[in-house]
Amino acid sequence: MSDVIFEPLRFKNLTVKNRIFRSNISGRFDNYDGSGTQTRINWELKFARGGVGAIISSFVPVHIRGRIMPNYATIDTDERIPFWRAVGEAVHEHDCRFIMQLSHGGRQRDVPGVEYPLGLSSTDQKDPLHGFECQRMTTDDIKSTVAAFAEGARRAREAGLDGVELHGANGYLITQFLSSAINDRKDEYGGSLENRARFVVEIVKAIRARVGTDFHLQMKISATEYNNALLKLEKPGNTVTDSIQVCQWLVAAGVDSLHVSTGSSFPHPRNPAGSDLPLDVLGQTYEVMASSGESTLRNLLLFRNPLTGEIFRHQWLDAGAPVAQIEGLNLPDTRLIKQAVDVPVICTGGFQTASVIRSAIERKDCDAVSIARRLVANNDLVNQFAAGRDRAEKPCTYCNKCLVHVVEHPLGCYEESRFASREEMLQQVMSVFHPPAYV
Ligand SMILES: Cc1cc2nc3c(=O)[nH]c(=O)nc-3n(C[C@H](O)[C@H](O)[C@H](O)COP(=O)(O)O)c2cc1C
Ligand code: SF4
């Protein structure tokens, strides 16, 4: 009997061999200036070999000022095109497609780097958790940022990649415009939903004008923002009803697919939703961010204090989702969006069981799923599904140790209980550096 997971997915301009996408995830694998390295190619190859139909890259800044931290390869100049061509070619050898996530962090920058001390945003208010300060964008800033996204798409196309995704989710610049909780502008880019969506609709139109209508373009969106999930005095932010309207405008402007996420920040208690918040690791790695925002040093001390740390951990987990609900937690929003648009819709969040994914697609809640952490834990999960396994033998525990390690250490699975020993775990983490750049 045919399995819907392994049926090809046809978008307007792209066909993917199955319904499982590697969701956007990577570590600080590249050079400080945004030039790429062999390590990123090694990273992406792990998943291409493991059977995913397509890889959606992690955050790729369209401008240096829009990066979240150094050591992520950028797409801000034509100089970067050959590197991304090499990534695409390596992945293609495994019959896997590669979609680049065009991104701008706005005010949400974990480690800003030396070039631009101040981030840009829809607002001049700092973010409430870390206190990242920012500068309100002028109309000229908006115009040049729209153009930077369009140039990023043009470069991705010239690199031979299979499409681009706008990072319109999780509190980055596009969310900072879309969100009713963050955008406090009084001009034509703020106020009504239509005005708040103007920035991203202009980006879509500019991309279409630059690359034409036959290149795949999708958008990742936080369908429900839950902006006050952790900080109860904040405004709630956009609802799924707001996001459905935004998705319809995006499709009318030329978007070929939606990728549904959640949360008005990154990380957010609901994204990536976890079974734990590993405070011991957080207390070490958050030090990299100690000077990034007005509240980051305070937060570091709070995480390191056993009492306040424990209170924060409880609040974070309470604001998230019970472990039993993490798998497919964005499916209800995705279903509503899918019913309202006529393009394929991808759902992210918690997937790790073939039968759950199969049912979601068969029920028409979504057309495909994207997976991040479970593929970090088991790079070959899709090949395991193809061989008839419903779940990996050593599943991901949603512990979120990979997440809190990533600002300082190489990305990999840090859940020691999944390995025979700590040495074996570290071997897996360090395997991303093989082969090295110069052999
Ligand atoms: C370490 C880490 C890095 C991530 N980086 C990105 C990113 O660059 N862009 C993005 O859209 N999402 C990013 N995400 C979110 C994932 O792509 C995914 O949507 C989310 O973790 C939920 O899926 P999962 O439960 O399969 O992990 C990241 C998640 C983790 C854990
Ligand atoms: S550290 Fe490993 S087990 Fe824990 S969430 Fe990340 S991938 Fe899953």
Side-chain angles (χ1 to χ4, degrees), residues 373-374 376-377 395-402 412-415 418:
R373 292 165 298 167
R374 256 74 56 239
V376 173
C396 164
T397 64
Y398 304 110
C399 70
N400 266 343
K401 288 179 187 157
C402 51
C413 179
Y414 286 87
E415 173 62 300
R418 296 190 56 258

Side-chain angles (χ1 to χ4, degrees), residues 248-399:
Q248 288 173 330
W249 286 330
L250 290 171
V251 171
V255 158
D256 299 324
S257 173
L258 283 321
H259 183 187
V260 181
S261 180
T262 190
S264 61
S265 64
F266 191 83
H268 182 280
R270 297 180 66 86
N271 182 64
S275 60
D276 195 8
L277 182 68
L279 270 182
D280 51 342
V281 185
L282 192 60
Q284 293 163 19
T285 56
Y286 195 84
E287 71 191 12
V288 172
M289 294 170 59
S291 61
S292 300
E294 208 181 69
S295 317
T296 41
L297 182 58
R298 177 207 67 191
N299 292 350
L300 177 64
L301 298 174
L302 185 146
F303 299 146
R304 283 191 175 167
N305 178 293
L307 180 65
T308 51
E310 202 49 36
I311 292 170
F312 183 84
R313 178 173 161 271
H314 273 280
Q315 285 175 342
W316 184 269
L317 292 174
D318 281 352
V323 178
Q325 290 171 24
I326 292 179
E327 180 154 18
L329 89 167
N330 293 318
L331 277 174
D333 281 356
T334 309
R335 182 187 317 125
L336 293 173
I337 290 176
K338 182 168 165 54
Q339 285 165 358
V341 297
D342 56 2
V343 296
V345 179
I346 306 162
C347 181
T348 195
F351 292 104
Q352 79 167 333
T353 316
S355 51
V356 172
I357 297 168
R358 195 173 293 124
S359 306
I361 299 170
E362 283 170 352
R363 276 198 313 269
K364 301 197 186 311
D365 286 356
C366 61
D367 298 281
V369 303
S370 75
I371 304 181
R373 292 165 298 167
R374 256 74 56 239
L375 285 167
V376 173
N378 292 284
N379 302 160
D380 64 343
L381 187 61
V382 179
N383 286 342
Q384 292 190 31
F385 289 166
R389 205 178 257 288
D390 196 37
R391 234 179 192 222
E393 200 176 337
K394 291 191 176 165
C396 164
T397 64
Y398 304 110
C399 70

